[in-house]
Amino acid sequence: RDRTFVVTDTLGPQDPTSEEVADAALDAAAFVEEILGETPRVAILAGATHGARGNVALERLARARDLARVRRPGLIIDGPLRAEVALEGEVQRERYPACALEGEPANVLVVPGQAAARIALDLLTCVAEAESAGPFVWSLRHPIGLAPLGASAETIVHTALITSALAIQADLQHKDDPKSPLREALERAVAAAKALEDAQALEEAAAEADEADEADEAGEADEDDEADEADEADEADEADEADEA
């Protein structure tokens, strides 16, 4: 199927706390929204859907869901969910109508634990033959994109492009920083535009000056012609007077 997923957190801790799971969910949701331009639908995956009381691991994931909802009201997020429920809208509608994903497949899969997340991603790329990119460390001032050993040319290109987009996003967020590359680029662009404007103004002034000089020269030429004509007329009058005499 033609779907795009963000799997997190393949670089995170092996046994994350509720806060760390919530952080990963919110970061991945922001990635989907800002970089992919899609509405994030986040599923915190587990071996059971909505869990059972007394299961410490599932309660930790439920607390991560609640933390994410508090920190970002309105975010579409649910969990713990089995992968089947997270990815199949029909299963949600038939078995779990109260699911916050509202019958739509998730596009952010929060897989608690680095090993589990890495396994999930490998299964998607190896078994489902999905194209992958990353992983990415993107909440830094200078984002990092990692291409795994043996990555295909397509994976390397996708990773480079997404890392570039993340870097641009980081620059936009830090545009007021005096050391920001984007700020420097904007300042250079403004300076170049000002220099171009000044050069155009100088060219226009020079053109106007040339036109004025040409007009002056034309006026002087007309005056010379008039003087010559006057001299010729005087000479002719003097000749006529001499003839009469």
Side-chain angles (χ1 to χ4, degrees):
R1 302 178 186 180
D2 186 14
R3 293 184 185 179
T4 301
F5 303 100
V6 171
V7 178
T8 188
D9 185 0
T10 58
L11 298 175
Q14 182 54 46
D15 188 21
T17 64
S18 296
E19 290 76 10
E20 289 169 333
V21 173
D23 287 341
L26 292 172
D27 284 345
F31 180 96
V32 168
E33 190 170 46
E34 297 175 12
I35 304 302
L36 302 183
E38 300 178 3
T39 300
R41 296 184 300 278
V42 185
I44 301 176
L45 301 185
T49 295
H50 292 162
R53 292 181 180 179
N55 187 315
V56 177
L58 296 179
E59 288 179 350
R60 183 172 71 244
L61 298 182
R63 183 168 181 271
R65 173 204 62 207
D66 295 339
L67 285 172
R69 286 175 175 173
V70 170
R71 290 171 58 186
R72 184 175 171 181
L75 175 66
I76 301 173
I77 182 171
D78 207 347
L81 300 175
R82 290 183 56 196
E84 177 189 25
V85 179
L87 297 175
E88 296 295 338
E90 185 176 350
V91 174
Q92 296 172 29
R93 290 187 291 270
E94 290 181 356
R95 303 182 195 172
Y96 302 96
C99 179
L101 300 181
E102 299 179 342
E104 295 292 334
N107 53 10
V108 175
L109 305 179
V110 182
V111 185
Q114 180 187 128
R118 185 73 252 179
I119 291 169
L121 184 60
D122 287 345
L123 287 173
L124 285 171
T125 55
C126 295
V127 178
E129 298 182 349
E131 295 183 4
S132 66
F136 303 95
V137 182
W138 78 290
S139 56
L140 303 177
R141 176 63 184 85
H142 301 288
I144 301 171
L146 304 173
L149 183 65
S152 65
E154 289 80 3
T155 294
I156 294 172
V157 170
H158 292 163
T159 300
L161 290 174
I162 293 175
T163 305
S164 299
L166 292 172
I168 293 172
Q169 185 69 26
D171 279 341
L172 289 172
Q173 293 173 350
H174 296 84
K175 62 180 182 299
D176 295 329
D177 182 352
K179 297 182 179 180
S180 169
L182 179 62
R183 185 183 181 89
E184 294 177 3
L186 289 173
E187 290 176 350
R188 289 196 298 271
V190 170
K194 183 66 169 60
L196 179 60
E197 182 179 345
D198 292 343
Q200 290 175 340
L202 288 174
E203 289 180 2
E204 291 175 358
E208 291 176 359
D210 290 341
E211 291 177 359
D213 290 341
E214 291 176 359
D216 291 340
E217 292 175 358
E220 292 175 357
D222 291 340
E223 290 176 359
D224 292 340
D225 291 341
E226 290 175 358
D228 292 341
E229 291 176 357
D231 291 341
E232 291 176 359
D234 290 341
E235 290 176 359
D237 290 340
E238 291 175 358
D240 291 339
E241 290 174 359
D243 292 338
E244 291 174 358

